[in-house]
Amino acid sequence: MSVGWSLRAPHFLILAFSLCLSQTVASALAQVRRANRFDPKMHQRYFDVQAANPAEFSSGLTTTNARITLKLIIGQQTPEVIAVFVGRGEDLDPDNTPARWIPFTETLPVDLGEGDGERHIFVAARWKATDRNYEGSGFEVTVSRSRAAVWITRPKQLVTSQPVIQLQGRATRKLVRCSYDQFDQKGNVVQQDEDAGAGVNYPGGDPDADFTCIDVELTPGTNTFVLRCTDESGLTTTTNVTVVFSTAGDTRPPVFQFVHFPQPGQTVSGERFTARGSLDAYAPSLTGQLIGGGRTNQISGYAERNGYFWYKDLPLATGPNYLTLTATDAAGNSSHTNLMLVGVSAPVVTLDEIVPAQKLWQSRITVTGKLTPPTHRLLVNGVAAVVKADGTWVARDVPTVSPDGGGAATFDMTVLPLEEASTNSPPPKEQVLAQARLGTKPLTLNPARPACGVFQLHVADTAGRPFVLLTSTNLQDWTPILTNLNPGATFDYTDANVAVTGCRFFQIKPMQ
């Protein structure tokens, strides 16, 4: 482990050689430069230092030891005496610090002193028959002997009716590994040495978290966690936290905030579709039914940790389809929402697989697919696609909408009548209706389809709760257009200027 560096590089380059370089030494130096390497044995008075024992360092140049050992590297001539200077932080001035000269040795023990923090070490050498000091390289070490303090930041309430939690926390020092054991109310081991994700965050979580135990399933009653976190010094801190899972007194059902797709009365093509939206809380059970084409289908879905839900691969019948979605929490409280959509036989749109999948982490990407028949216009997340005669299409600079906060990207494809020959003609001035409940987080009201004509909004649960209404053209940059400081129980809003201002997305954001 070579760790030498110079505090005074320009000064060092001058002093690394004798004052009168011979022609032989100068020639050797030229050869070294041509070979792009540096050999100290080619020079007379050369001096440098590096770590003698890498095991003394737990991580990089961080140590818990009171003393370390440096290895001295010299050129052709051996120094007569050496001196070592140790400063805390930037407090090191060898020129104005008395030197304690000791006979030259190839390994040099260095006392780092008491307390934690940075140490700057500088070693000077003096050759025989000269009074001039020849300074070597400096060495920087971080001393870390005290263990990191660790504390829990989430969940904020340690008594919860939610069966799954995200256990997050902070530390006073950078962590390199965390793990935990989980015990139930009787002391039985539920999980052992589970990874606690040092340096890991989750969408919507604590942005400053130093560790995250993601999607921890609780057992009824008291859950005890023994958390072990190892910092970059190699020191491990152990702490306990208790979380109680109880549904006693929980009578509030989860509420459907918004169904993003499909919208009530929307026409949908294809044999199957996915219903998705958001709840105001996580619900472990999602059921429902879909009636269409003379058949009744019992359906089920799943919710993510932030309440975003999905009902995948639902059968679509031609004509009216009546969809009922039911959410039930761990306490048995239920709520439901109803809507009607219309299945149509054509056209059919497909989306090509996005390769590599890492592209989905970009804010905007190019996507392709096929449209049958090709005699229609196509919008992908509000962006007009170029449709070729064979039905293949390409849409560029398409926003990667991630309604669940990062776990999935969605692409809503809207097919519109071909009003004129140009496949890039502006979208029609249709009416977009949105219904929602004011929750505790910002809610994008029409993430899949920008409003290009008239936008109408109905919001419930707003009594006495101030909020802001914002707009965006790209789902990235939001501009406030209305602030309601003292709303009633519901709020209704109509924006007829979208036809003038251009296609826009709308978002509602609670102020407290």
Side-chain angles (χ1 to χ4, degrees):
M1 179 188 295
S2 178
V3 291
W5 55 269
S6 175
L7 289 179
R8 301 178 182 180
H11 185 48
F12 167 72
L13 291 177
I14 295 172
L15 298 178
F17 312 98
S18 61
L19 297 181
C20 297
L21 285 174
S22 68
Q23 184 176 357
T24 302
V25 175
S27 176
L29 178 59
Q31 293 176 11
V32 169
R33 288 177 175 170
R34 283 197 298 270
N36 195 27
R37 57 181 298 180
F38 185 76
D39 184 358
K41 294 183 179 180
M42 299 291 292
H43 312 294
Q44 296 180 17
R45 292 178 176 175
Y46 170 82
F47 185 66
D48 200 0
V49 294
Q50 67 180 22
N53 183 12
E56 294 175 337
F57 301 90
S58 56
S59 174
L61 292 183
T62 301
T63 182
T64 60
N65 297 309
R67 305 181 79 187
I68 63 171
T69 305
L70 299 182
K71 179 181 179 181
L72 279 61
I73 304 171
I74 61 173
Q76 294 178 5
Q77 295 184 12
T78 301
E80 179 184 16
V81 290
I82 55 175
V84 61
F85 304 87
V86 179
R88 295 174 180 267
E90 299 295 334
D91 183 20
L92 177 59
D93 185 7
D95 289 337
N96 297 309
T97 303
R100 187 173 67 87
W101 297 97
I102 61 175
F104 174 81
T105 177
E106 290 187 355
T107 56
L108 177 64
V110 178
D111 189 345
L112 299 177
E114 298 295 328
D116 292 353
E118 289 188 349
R119 303 288 192 273
H120 290 279
I121 304 168
F122 201 71
V123 181
R126 187 170 66 194
W127 277 259
K128 191 174 182 179
T130 180
D131 293 332
R132 183 161 184 171
N133 300 340
Y134 288 78
E135 298 177 357
S137 292
F139 201 85
E140 187 177 73
V141 177
T142 298
V143 180
S144 178
R145 299 191 187 99
S146 59
R147 286 176 169 78
V150 175
W151 67 96
I152 303 299
T153 59
R154 293 193 179 197
K156 296 185 180 300
Q157 301 296 328
L158 297 182
V159 178
T160 179
S161 60
Q162 292 290 328
V164 178
I165 64 169
Q166 319 306 319
L167 191 63
Q168 285 192 296
R170 303 289 308 280
T172 55
R173 190 172 294 134
K174 181 180 178 180
L175 303 177
V176 296
R177 186 181 187 275
C178 283
S179 65
Y180 68 91
D181 300 333
Q182 179 183 0
F183 301 88
D184 65 14
Q185 186 162 282
K186 296 181 179 181
N188 299 317
V189 176
V190 179
Q191 298 188 85
Q192 190 169 24
D193 201 27
E194 286 293 313
D195 181 25
V200 174
N201 193 9
Y202 68 92
D206 181 356
D208 298 320
D210 291 307
F211 63 88
T212 299
C213 313
I214 297 179
D215 295 339
V216 179
E217 296 185 10
L218 300 177
T219 60
T222 300
N223 293 258
T224 301
F225 296 89
V226 178
L227 185 68
R228 297 175 296 275
C229 290
T230 303
D231 62 29
E232 58 185 346
S233 305
L235 299 175
T236 299
T237 301
T238 302
T239 188
N240 296 346
V241 61
T242 299
V243 180
V244 178
F245 170 44
S246 173
T247 59
D250 183 1
T251 59
R252 183 182 182 278
V255 176
F256 286 90
Q257 288 185 306
F258 195 58
V259 178
H260 293 169
F261 184 88
Q263 296 284 299
Q266 190 172 14
T267 57
V268 181
S269 66
E271 297 180 353
R272 310 186 80 81
F273 71 99
T274 296
R276 53 186 172 82
S278 57
L279 295 157
D280 67 345
Y282 168 76
S285 175
L286 293 179
T287 58
Q289 68 177 16
L290 176 62
I291 302 174
R295 299 184 61 182
T296 299
N297 296 282
Q298 302 300 318
I299 61 176
S300 62
Y302 66 92
E304 300 183 11
R305 67 179 68 95
N306 57 3
Y308 202 87
F309 66 83
W310 308 79
Y311 287 78
K312 288 188 172 182
D313 295 326
L314 303 181
L316 180 66
T318 301
N321 291 258
Y322 299 93
L323 181 63
T324 299
L325 307 179
T326 302
T328 306
D329 63 17
N333 305 306
S334 296
S335 65
H336 67 273
T337 188
N338 301 303
L339 61 91
M340 186 273 289
L341 63 149
V342 180
V344 295
S345 58
V348 175
V349 186
T350 60
L351 178 71
D352 293 337
E353 182 182 1
I354 297 172
V355 180
Q358 286 82 353
K359 287 184 178 180
L360 295 174
W361 290 105
Q362 302 175 19
S363 60
R364 289 178 174 269
I365 63 174
T366 296
V367 292
T368 59
K370 190 162 187 178
L371 172 62
T372 306
T375 54
H376 292 78
R377 290 186 301 129
L378 174 65
L379 298 179
V380 184
N381 283 358
V383 175
V386 176
V387 182
K388 300 180 181 179
D390 63 356
T392 59
W393 57 264
V394 58
R396 305 183 188 280
D397 205 28
V398 176
T400 49
V401 181
S402 184
D404 64 342
T410 61
F411 296 90
D412 284 329
M413 296 168 286
T414 304
V415 178
L416 304 169
L418 188 62
E419 297 177 340
E420 53 188 69
S422 172
T423 59
N424 291 318
S425 57
K429 308 306 181 186
E430 75 274 14
Q431 184 180 49
V432 174
L433 305 177
Q435 301 182 41
R437 295 179 182 273
L438 184 63
T440 59
K441 299 178 181 179
L443 177 65
T444 302
L445 301 164
N446 57 326
R449 182 173 63 163
C452 300
V454 176
F455 176 77
Q456 287 187 317
L457 171 65
H458 175 78
V459 186
D461 295 343
T462 57
R465 301 180 59 196
F467 60 85
V468 179
L469 189 65
L470 308 96
T471 65
S472 172
T473 59
N474 57 11
L475 290 170
Q476 303 290 329
D477 305 311
W478 293 95
T479 302
I481 59 171
L482 180 148
T483 301
N484 195 330
L485 296 176
N486 190 26
T490 61
F491 171 75
D492 292 280
Y493 173 80
T494 300
D495 189 342
N497 294 322
V498 179
V500 177
T501 59
C503 300
R504 293 192 290 177
F505 300 94
F506 288 81
Q507 183 183 88
I508 190 168
K509 180 179 180 180
M511 296 178 63
Q512 62 182 24

